[in-house]
Amino acid sequence: MLFGECTITFQDVAYQLGLPVDGRYVSGCLQIQKFVVNCTWFRETFGECPEGADEETVRRFARAYIMMLLGTQLFADKSGNRIHIRWLPFVARLEEMGGYSWGSAALAWLYRCMCRVANRHVVKLAGPLQLLQSWIFWRFPGFRPAGYDAFSWPLASRWSGYNLGISKKGPRVQMARLRIDLLQARDFIWMPYSTPDVLQVVHPEVLEPRHMMLWWCVTSLIYFAVVEWHQVDRVLPQFSGVQPPPHPALNIDFLMSMDERGGDRWLPSHLQHWHLHWETRADHVLRFDVVDDPGPSHEFLAWWHQHGKRFLSRELYLGDPRGIPIPVEGTQRGAGRVPDMDRVDDVPDRRRVERRARVGTRRSQRDWRWLDQAMEEGDEAGRDGGRRRGGRGRRRGAAPR
């Protein structure tokens, strides 16, 4: 975009979903893919807690609800109707679930899903899509639907009744890309959470120093076998800073091949380097000056226009036809004044011509029928004359007996 780079960070996860950021990484042993339970069975079995239930029954229904929340909302796959049993060790200890960094795990899964959907052969997007949608509506006012002025906590619940509807995919995607390409710096909000309306509804735990400190942290994001990178050093204006030219991005392409396939393994040992990086996250907090007018610096804009991809749309949709000069050939009229087309030299295909010559056509048979008749008459005349000449010859040349 014209004003540089922006992305979803820990701050957005905390405000939009109300998830804790600080805590233990969400990892462990990744069971094989077939260990899943259908969501229909969960809804039928744990749809409503019975009245007068004892404490153990309430805890059992609470575990089922948390598993459905994790499997269908935060960490949903493209099937949309399966819940993996990997969550059983977590919900078995309800008192300890608040000690995990669910915010970093959800952000890691969203990053990975967005990387996968960039593949031209992938047509569906999974992950915490309510986080992505709410982030777009809060940051880009031009994409925000009308009639959703009131909001509460968490901030993503503001759009709970929004339904885009059904439309054709092709024109909608092309128009969205064109709108993004035409965005100006005033069309993006760097700091949407600093208004008093937001501060009065936010939960106090989100604003604790141990959580806010990690908003400026450059560290790894872990969700079982998924490892991504929280690179906020490229989006400092989202934290009221000035963006300098960034350092080269960390190349973690080799981690993209790690997913839920490949058998069971204890991931904290298999990916020990990245887990240790998360454990030392407090050592990687950025230090920068907070200013009143955040935004990219001139050096960053020069770097961005040189290395970044400015447009998403094709030139056909971006170009202004009024600025393109009309060639002289376009002003000519009549078939005789049209310039000749450049033809590519190629070997002619004479199979049809050879077949007609060999088989013949109705016209060729009619035109050459008289010649065939004349040749037949000549052959018959020749045969008759030959007999007469041959007989006389034999009489003159016959030996006397």
Side-chain angles (χ1 to χ4, degrees):
M1 290 175 286
L2 180 65
F3 46 84
E5 296 179 318
C6 57
T7 189
I8 305 174
T9 64
F10 283 153
Q11 183 189 38
D12 300 300
V13 176
Y15 277 104
Q16 298 293 341
L17 301 181
L19 294 177
V21 176
D22 191 24
R24 301 190 299 271
Y25 50 76
V26 180
S27 184
C29 184
L30 187 62
Q31 293 88 359
I32 58 179
Q33 184 68 19
K34 68 178 182 179
F35 290 156
V36 295
V37 182
N38 195 285
C39 294
T40 305
W41 179 85
F42 263 91
R43 296 189 184 97
E44 295 177 352
T45 308
F46 303 99
E48 184 178 356
C49 184
E51 297 182 2
D54 55 1
E55 183 179 357
E56 185 60 30
T57 303
V58 174
R59 293 172 65 89
R60 183 164 60 251
F61 274 78
R63 293 188 180 98
Y65 175 78
I66 294 176
M67 287 190 64
M68 293 183 62
L69 180 64
L70 296 175
T72 61
Q73 298 296 323
L74 295 181
F75 306 102
D77 55 10
K78 290 188 291 186
S79 67
N81 59 354
R82 298 178 301 181
I83 300 177
H84 205 283
I85 66 172
R86 70 168 67 99
W87 306 116
L88 287 177
F90 295 91
V91 299
R93 302 182 295 270
L94 290 177
E95 294 79 7
E96 301 179 5
M97 290 201 68
Y100 290 93
S101 177
W102 298 105
S104 64
L107 188 58
W109 182 231
L110 179 60
Y111 280 0
R112 179 59 56 87
C113 293
M114 294 178 65
C115 290
R116 289 178 177 176
V117 81
N119 192 330
R120 59 180 300 182
H121 302 291
V122 179
V123 296
K124 292 183 179 181
L125 177 62
L129 300 183
Q130 68 274 15
L131 170 61
L132 177 61
Q133 183 186 58
S134 184
W135 180 84
I136 294 174
F137 290 164
W138 277 89
R139 297 276 183 177
F140 298 87
F143 292 89
R144 183 183 305 170
Y148 295 88
D149 299 330
F151 54 88
S152 58
W153 180 256
L155 299 183
S157 61
R158 177 179 181 179
W159 327 101
S160 58
Y162 174 72
N163 186 11
L164 181 61
I166 301 176
S167 61
K168 295 182 179 180
K169 178 180 178 182
R172 187 178 65 188
V173 174
Q174 294 174 2
M175 293 303 299
R177 290 176 177 175
L178 184 59
R179 291 180 62 184
I180 293 175
D181 293 333
L182 299 179
L183 287 174
Q184 301 296 323
R186 63 180 180 273
D187 300 325
F188 181 79
I189 302 178
W190 288 110
M191 300 182 63
Y193 311 126
S194 59
T195 61
D197 296 338
V198 175
L199 296 178
Q200 68 180 0
V201 300
V202 66
H203 197 278
E205 186 178 356
V206 175
L207 303 179
E208 290 184 2
R210 65 187 184 96
H211 292 295
M212 296 182 62
M213 176 188 64
L214 297 183
W215 295 353
W216 301 354
C217 180
V218 181
T219 184
S220 57
L221 306 174
I222 300 173
Y223 166 61
F224 286 96
V226 176
V227 178
E228 293 290 339
W229 199 247
H230 188 245
Q231 202 159 1
V232 293
D233 56 332
R234 305 176 71 99
V235 291
L236 293 183
Q238 295 183 202
F239 304 95
S240 190
V242 177
Q243 180 62 54
H247 299 289
L250 181 65
N251 188 354
I252 55 175
D253 292 343
F254 66 97
L255 293 174
M256 297 298 172
S257 60
M258 299 182 180
D259 51 13
E260 299 179 359
R261 304 175 182 87
D264 296 340
R265 61 188 66 181
W266 185 247
L267 296 175
S269 299
H270 183 68
L271 303 173
Q272 183 179 8
H273 172 73
W274 306 100
H275 288 71
L276 291 177
H277 203 285
W278 170 257
E279 293 178 352
T280 59
R281 55 192 176 276
D283 300 334
H284 306 282
V285 178
L286 298 178
R287 299 289 187 269
F288 56 91
D289 296 332
V290 176
V291 297
D292 296 333
D293 53 343
S297 62
H298 295 287
E299 294 80 7
F300 172 82
L301 292 177
W303 173 89
W304 171 245
H305 287 282
Q306 181 181 1
H307 300 279
K309 184 178 180 180
R310 175 64 180 85
F311 300 107
L312 298 175
S313 305
R314 300 179 181 178
E315 296 182 359
L316 175 64
Y317 304 104
L318 291 173
D320 187 358
R322 295 173 297 180
I324 302 177
I326 301 176
V328 180
E329 294 82 358
T331 61
Q332 297 178 351
R333 295 183 179 181
R337 305 186 64 179
V338 176
D340 298 333
M341 298 178 59
D342 295 333
R343 299 185 180 274
V344 180
D345 297 332
D346 196 359
V347 179
D349 188 2
R350 302 186 58 83
R351 289 178 296 178
R352 180 181 291 272
V353 179
E354 295 174 357
R355 181 179 180 276
R356 288 185 175 182
R358 182 174 64 255
V359 178
T361 61
R362 293 182 178 180
R363 180 177 179 182
S364 62
Q365 292 175 359
R366 184 175 63 253
D367 295 342
W368 295 95
R369 190 176 301 167
W370 64 271
L371 181 60
D372 295 340
Q373 294 177 357
M375 294 178 64
E376 291 178 357
E377 294 176 357
D379 293 341
E380 292 177 356
R383 287 195 296 271
D384 295 342
R387 294 193 190 99
R388 290 192 296 269
R389 288 192 301 270
R392 291 193 298 269
R394 285 195 297 270
R395 284 196 296 272
R396 285 197 297 268
R401 293 182 181 177

